[in-house]
Amino acid sequence: MATESKPPFPPFTRETAQHKVKTAQAAWNSKDLELVQYAYTPDSIWRNRDTFLQGREQIVEFLRKKWAKEQGYRLRKELFAFTDDKIAVQFWYEWHDETGQWWRTYGLEDWTFAKNGLMRKRQMSGNDVKITEEERWFKEGVDVDAVEISERHW
């Protein structure tokens, strides 16, 4: 749809880039496919690790399968860098598999935006690390932004 838009719009400032990052974090943590899909252009292209997608339909199907597998999903995104129409993000998220094994996924994302503020390209690289219940950062009732993440966690 030509009338779709999602402010803030490029060119980004530190403040507007930060807003985009935290809005994306909240949307992904909601796991609301209707909300998440409309942050992307109808023909958005993605690389998620070794998976390549194009268009909202493929994005929704990918996320549906991802969130069915990754139970207890909690995500934090932080602004890494930005330019006029691009934002780089570092992220961490925790989840458990069907056996109850907890994982933390670390990674980086590279986003490119259309003039209407929708993301037209997303590239993600990430690595999964097994963790114990005691090593979890994002437990129920804890605000993901309130967790102090320092270099010692890497």
Side-chain angles (χ1 to χ4, degrees):
M1 291 181 212
T3 61
E4 288 184 69
S5 66
K6 188 160 191 72
F9 307 112
F12 296 116
T13 64
R14 176 167 296 285
E15 181 180 295
T16 60
Q18 179 71 14
H19 178 77
K20 280 287 195 196
V21 171
K22 290 305 177 179
T23 300
Q25 174 183 292
W28 278 60
N29 276 330
S30 78
K31 294 184 276 180
D32 180 337
L33 292 169
E34 288 297 312
L35 177 66
V36 173
Q37 74 172 316
Y38 291 111
Y40 304 96
T41 61
D43 61 346
S44 185
I45 57 173
W46 279 28
R47 181 185 60 79
N48 199 90
R49 301 178 197 229
D50 63 349
T51 302
F52 295 83
L53 309 167
Q54 183 166 10
R56 288 182 181 153
E57 186 175 309
Q58 289 183 4
I59 291 168
V60 167
E61 185 58 28
F62 173 83
L63 292 174
R64 184 177 285 116
K65 289 177 184 175
K66 170 186 177 58
W67 289 330
K69 174 188 173 191
E70 296 176 352
Q71 297 296 302
Y73 179 93
R74 299 278 308 275
L75 164 74
R76 177 160 163 188
K77 293 181 182 279
E78 293 294 333
L79 178 63
F80 187 75
F82 69 95
T83 63
D84 288 346
D85 66 347
K86 294 178 177 24
I87 297 175
V89 175
Q90 58 185 347
F91 66 86
W92 311 264
Y93 67 88
E94 293 176 352
W95 55 281
H96 66 83
D97 61 25
E98 68 281 351
T99 70
Q101 171 63 57
W102 280 96
W103 299 85
R104 184 174 304 121
T105 301
Y106 297 90
L108 298 170
E109 292 178 341
D110 168 22
W111 303 342
T112 305
F113 291 86
K115 290 180 178 166
N116 65 358
L118 299 179
M119 194 182 304
R120 63 181 178 85
K121 183 177 80 170
R122 174 185 174 267
Q123 297 189 82
M124 180 275 218
S125 296
N127 298 294
D128 302 321
V129 178
K130 281 185 180 183
I131 60 172
T132 65
E133 171 73 28
E134 294 75 30
E135 293 173 306
R136 289 181 56 211
W137 296 338
F138 309 136
K139 298 185 180 187
E140 289 303 312
V142 174
D143 178 3
V144 294
D145 286 319
V147 175
E148 184 177 331
I149 298 173
S150 66
E151 289 182 22
R152 68 181 174 81
H153 291 110
W154 294 90

